[in-house]
Amino acid sequence: MSLQQKADALFEDQKVSWPLLGANWDKLSGARLKHFDFDGFSIHVQCNPKRIISSTARVDKASIENRACFLCRENRPPEEKNIWFGKEYEILCNPFPIFREHFTIAKADHTPQVIENEFGAFLELSKALPALAVFYNAPNCGASAPDHMHFQAGNRGFMPIERELKGLKQKYGEVLMKSGDTSLTAVNDTLRRFYVLESSSGNALEKIGDLAFRFIRELQLGEEPMINMLSYHDRGWQVLLFPRDRHRPWQYFEEGERNILLSPASVDMGGTLITPLEKDFEKITREDVVDIFSQVGFSPDHFEGMNRFLKSKMAKG
């Protein structure tokens, strides 16, 4: 049985054996959606009240130190089961799902959310779970457990960027490097600035990733790179890297009518904004969406600087 088949079976079992997951999964069928159209792509908004815990997670150092890590084995509820990916990662069902199948893939050891040494595992996990989009949220970019290394995964086809990506590359993309079936494309669709890494070689992608992470880390004065990533695997990998300049928009911190409780992470960058509060779902406008992305995404100057850096380094081999 493949890892994908084992994961599917685990989720089916946990929907029945874990009441919290089963109840929240049942509510997904009634989740409200609305759509905003842009030039060549769309942004969806999902009203998902059960995501309030993730959206409001306190991720400052003091708060993290004063709570038990919910990804560590000893702190999980007895109903929560797992399967293993290799010897270092456990695949768990997310009890507050966004997708019809939603997993958290946690490292067995309690180590911080740091991507550089785990990018290879990210790629291999994506290859082993071809029916899923595998994603990574950096600390201060949507990770509600920045103290414990983990990825997430959800069923393909949910985020609009997956079916829109070919058109986005053609309309808004600049190819920074192409060699055989390995390529790097910078995309500025006027709302998001991101990179598409494609190859059948994991080693080739790791080399590009090393350069990208290094640039962002230096730009952010040595802090863990602020990024979101999505990965899909068919005959090869397609990795979407979203560098970030900011964790949460000003609307998140406002009170009263100006407040919109939205904390963007990988799924949001992929085109589906998650709003846990119905009042925000009702009032959010196309203009709000543009403003929020303009705050949390990579600035034009940083994007152009990273493009120059990547082209220069890859031209030298």
Side-chain angles (χ1 to χ4, degrees):
M1 183 181 290
S2 70
L3 186 68
Q4 181 69 68
Q5 291 170 323
K6 291 178 182 178
D8 294 341
L10 175 69
F11 203 86
E12 288 301 310
D13 173 79
Q14 288 276 262
K15 284 192 300 182
V16 177
S17 63
W18 191 4
L20 177 63
L21 172 60
N24 290 335
W25 185 87
D26 284 341
K27 291 183 174 66
L28 272 184
S29 60
R32 299 175 65 192
L33 285 171
K34 66 181 181 181
H35 314 275
F36 298 108
D37 292 325
F38 292 83
D39 188 5
F41 63 98
S42 62
I43 298 294
H44 299 178
V45 184
Q46 182 195 74
C47 184
N48 190 332
K50 295 301 178 180
R51 295 298 296 180
I52 189 72
I53 294 174
S54 179
S55 295
T56 59
R58 295 176 66 88
V59 293
D60 59 282
K61 184 178 180 181
S63 297
I64 293 296
E65 290 176 349
N66 289 322
R67 63 104 169 102
C69 176
F70 55 86
L71 293 181
C72 284
R73 195 175 300 110
E74 61 270 22
N75 300 322
R76 296 180 207 152
E79 301 92 342
E80 189 168 12
K81 300 177 183 178
N82 75 300
I83 58 173
W84 285 90
F85 171 62
K87 296 181 179 179
E88 294 190 340
Y89 278 92
E90 298 177 82
I91 299 178
L92 308 163
C93 298
N94 193 311
F96 305 104
I98 296 171
F99 305 83
R100 301 302 291 176
E101 275 194 351
H102 191 168
F103 300 94
T104 299
I105 301 98
K107 196 153 190 179
D109 296 330
H110 184 79
T111 59
Q113 188 84 331
V114 177
I115 188 59
E116 281 95 334
N117 292 333
E118 304 298 331
F119 185 49
F122 175 76
L123 295 175
E124 289 307 310
L125 182 64
S126 178
K127 184 177 182 180
L129 297 172
L132 304 176
V134 177
F135 54 101
Y136 170 80
N137 295 323
N140 292 325
C141 285
S144 53
D147 55 330
H148 194 128
M149 183 66 208
H150 67 285
F151 306 113
Q152 293 185 66
N155 51 280
R156 294 182 62 161
F158 177 78
M159 289 175 277
I161 201 167
E162 183 179 353
R163 55 185 171 274
E164 297 167 348
L165 188 59
K166 182 178 179 181
L168 288 172
K169 287 169 56 186
Q170 292 174 343
K171 187 176 182 67
Y172 298 108
E174 175 191 356
V175 177
L176 303 182
M177 183 277 289
K178 184 167 177 59
S179 176
D181 72 349
T182 299
S183 64
L184 173 65
T185 306
V187 179
N188 179 358
D189 65 16
T190 72
L191 197 66
R192 300 161 295 193
R193 298 175 185 89
F194 63 97
Y195 298 90
V196 184
L197 292 67
E198 296 173 282
S199 185
S200 61
S201 167
N203 288 336
L205 292 180
E206 288 190 62
K207 290 178 182 178
I208 298 172
D210 287 344
L211 291 172
F213 303 146
R214 185 203 315 172
F215 179 88
I216 301 167
R217 184 178 283 279
E218 291 177 359
L219 180 68
Q220 295 167 354
L221 305 178
E223 296 294 324
E224 174 64 10
M226 292 183 68
I227 61 169
N228 300 114
M229 284 196 303
L230 302 169
S231 180
Y232 305 95
H233 190 277
D234 291 306
R235 289 182 292 274
W237 284 276
Q238 195 169 55
V239 178
L240 281 59
L241 169 64
F242 300 87
R244 298 271 298 272
D245 278 345
R246 190 172 179 180
H247 181 195
R248 289 164 170 163
W250 64 259
Q251 289 91 337
Y252 181 93
F253 304 99
E254 287 291 319
E255 296 181 358
E257 285 300 312
R258 286 162 61 85
N259 171 262
I260 299 177
L261 193 72
L262 197 156
S263 184
S266 291
V267 175
D268 307 80
M269 303 307 287
T272 300
L273 303 182
I274 307 301
T275 56
L277 299 180
E278 190 168 358
K279 58 100 174 167
D280 295 334
F281 176 82
E282 294 286 357
K283 75 180 181 182
I284 195 168
T285 65
R286 188 180 189 277
E287 290 71 28
D288 291 326
V289 171
V290 172
D291 184 49
I292 288 168
F293 273 103
S294 73
Q295 295 178 64
V296 302
F298 224 31
S299 73
D301 287 346
H302 289 164
F303 187 63
E304 290 303 319
M306 186 162 167
N307 290 353
R308 290 193 298 270
F309 171 82
L310 292 172
K311 282 197 287 189
S312 171
K313 290 296 183 182
M314 288 185 293
K316 295 176 182 177

